[in-house]
Amino acid sequence: MRVQLRDTSAVDVSKKIVELRRTGGVVTQGRVLTLIVCAGDARRLEASISAATDASREHPCRVIVIGRGRADGPPRLDAEIRVAGEAGASEVLILALHGELGDHQESVVVPFLLPDTPVVAWWPNQAPAVPAQDPVGKLAVRRITDATNAIDPRADIVGRLTGYRPGDTDLAWARITYWRALLVSALDQPPHEKVLSARVSGLHGEVAIDLLAGWLASRLDCPVQRAVGELRVELHTETQTIVLDRPQDGRVATLQRTDKPDALVTLARRDSAECLAEELRRLDPDEIYEAALAELSKVEYV
């Protein structure tokens, strides 16, 4: 169900939500958090809403989407309320802020925060340099960015360390969770030798590959290279080479080890909804992500 309110107020929107609950049988018990989606412009708006509602099936929440309307017009709030069905296990409020109202997002969103539940902020496109200092970011205990969709992805992820505060993370980090698990599992097999060098390659703008290289640099006391090319990780020890590679658009990866039969593993690219759901499982600081950012400076780009 979708209800649109033009030139409205926070009070009127809240009344409409209560009315929808009463007349439509919509309940809100079990909401575990408020997710604020700082969408900015209309770029990827519906994709971001879809990802948030899909993630809400695992983490029932209220989703508040903040978008910028016309900047040159008078202050005005337009709202759309989505409940039941397409809203997943959530209520979705889409707020378009026109005129000077767009510079006061935090004031508009506060009346809609669920009481006594944590707040998570997500920037699906371009994020502020220091999310924790952003007016909306100050409301959140967890701040999620996505450097993959930034104007300059690599510069964005490299700059994340300067603006990092405990509670920050990036969806590019969640995209390599299974890659990290497979590499750890491979190194956990005999002969348990020290890794002497590592090389990671992938598309130039795929910052998940940069984070993977940073993570290896933070875990292994060895040189790490980041190259542009096939999606591939190589770990070299004294007696063996471990290779994990996958076609750019593939779903199955190959794990190769010296003198061992190749292993095929399912390793499809994770979509934003799956990555977002993973990041919503934890609200504490992610020290390993911070370490991966810190060690990016040690990665050799070739």
Side-chain angles (χ1 to χ4, degrees):
M1 178 189 300
R2 300 188 184 189
V3 176
Q4 293 187 345
L5 302 173
R6 300 294 185 186
D7 195 7
T8 186
S9 66
V11 172
D12 290 339
V13 174
S14 297
K15 288 181 178 179
K16 178 58 69 172
I17 293 173
V18 173
E19 178 186 334
L20 290 173
R21 290 178 192 160
R22 184 176 62 251
T23 61
V26 178
V27 297
T28 60
Q29 283 76 10
R31 299 288 192 264
V32 298
L33 57 88
T34 300
L35 175 62
I36 304 175
V37 182
C38 303
D41 55 32
R43 183 166 61 103
R44 300 186 71 255
L45 177 63
E46 284 300 329
S48 300
I49 295 173
S50 177
T53 53
D54 285 349
S56 76
R57 301 181 191 280
E58 181 177 336
H59 309 277
C61 60
R62 170 174 286 179
V63 179
I64 304 174
V65 183
I66 307 175
R68 291 297 298 262
R70 296 188 57 178
D72 57 350
R76 190 180 86 242
L77 171 64
D78 293 337
E80 180 178 315
I81 306 172
R82 300 183 186 182
V83 295
E86 62 184 314
S90 65
E91 300 167 324
V92 179
L93 308 181
I94 305 172
L95 308 177
L97 281 57
H98 301 271
E100 295 181 359
L101 197 60
D103 298 325
H104 304 281
Q105 297 181 358
E106 73 285 3
S107 299
V108 176
V109 79
V110 164
F112 302 115
L113 301 181
L114 293 176
D116 302 320
T117 59
V119 176
V120 178
W122 174 36
W123 289 267
N125 299 311
Q126 193 72 29
V130 185
Q133 293 181 0
D134 180 83
V136 174
K138 290 179 179 179
L139 302 173
V141 297
R142 187 76 162 164
R143 295 164 297 276
I144 305 172
T145 55
D146 194 349
T148 303
N149 297 322
I151 297 173
D152 187 341
R154 180 173 287 183
D156 191 89
I157 201 63
V158 170
R160 285 284 150 229
L161 178 62
T162 304
Y164 176 84
R165 301 292 186 275
D168 291 354
T169 191
D170 196 278
L171 289 194
W173 178 242
R175 290 190 178 99
I176 59 170
T177 296
Y178 295 154
W179 284 81
R180 293 188 288 126
L182 286 169
L183 293 171
V184 169
S185 178
L187 289 172
D188 200 35
Q189 303 299 317
H192 304 115
E193 296 175 325
K194 174 181 172 61
V195 177
L196 302 178
S197 66
R199 181 182 176 92
V200 182
S201 62
L203 296 176
H204 177 273
E206 184 54 81
V207 292
I209 301 301
D210 296 80
L211 281 177
L212 185 57
W215 171 72
L216 289 172
S218 70
R219 302 292 102 180
L220 306 173
D221 184 19
C222 72
V224 178
Q225 292 183 333
R226 188 342 186 159
V228 176
E230 297 179 357
L231 192 52
R232 182 183 182 94
V233 180
E234 299 178 14
L235 305 178
H236 301 279
T237 71
E238 185 175 351
T239 64
Q240 70 170 340
T241 297
I242 299 172
V243 177
L244 179 62
D245 63 357
R246 192 204 74 194
Q248 293 287 359
D249 57 350
R251 301 180 61 87
V252 177
T254 304
L255 179 62
Q256 305 170 36
R257 300 177 63 203
T258 303
D259 299 328
K260 301 290 184 181
D262 294 353
L264 299 179
V265 291
T266 301
L267 196 60
R269 178 181 173 84
R270 306 181 77 190
D271 61 24
S272 295
E274 186 179 359
C275 294
L276 183 61
E278 176 180 321
E279 293 298 344
L280 292 178
R281 291 180 198 137
R282 59 177 302 171
L283 300 179
D284 56 319
D286 191 339
E287 293 87 357
I288 300 177
Y289 166 69
E290 181 185 6
L293 289 178
E295 297 303 313
L296 276 173
S297 61
K298 295 184 179 179
V299 174
E300 178 186 2
Y301 285 82
V302 296

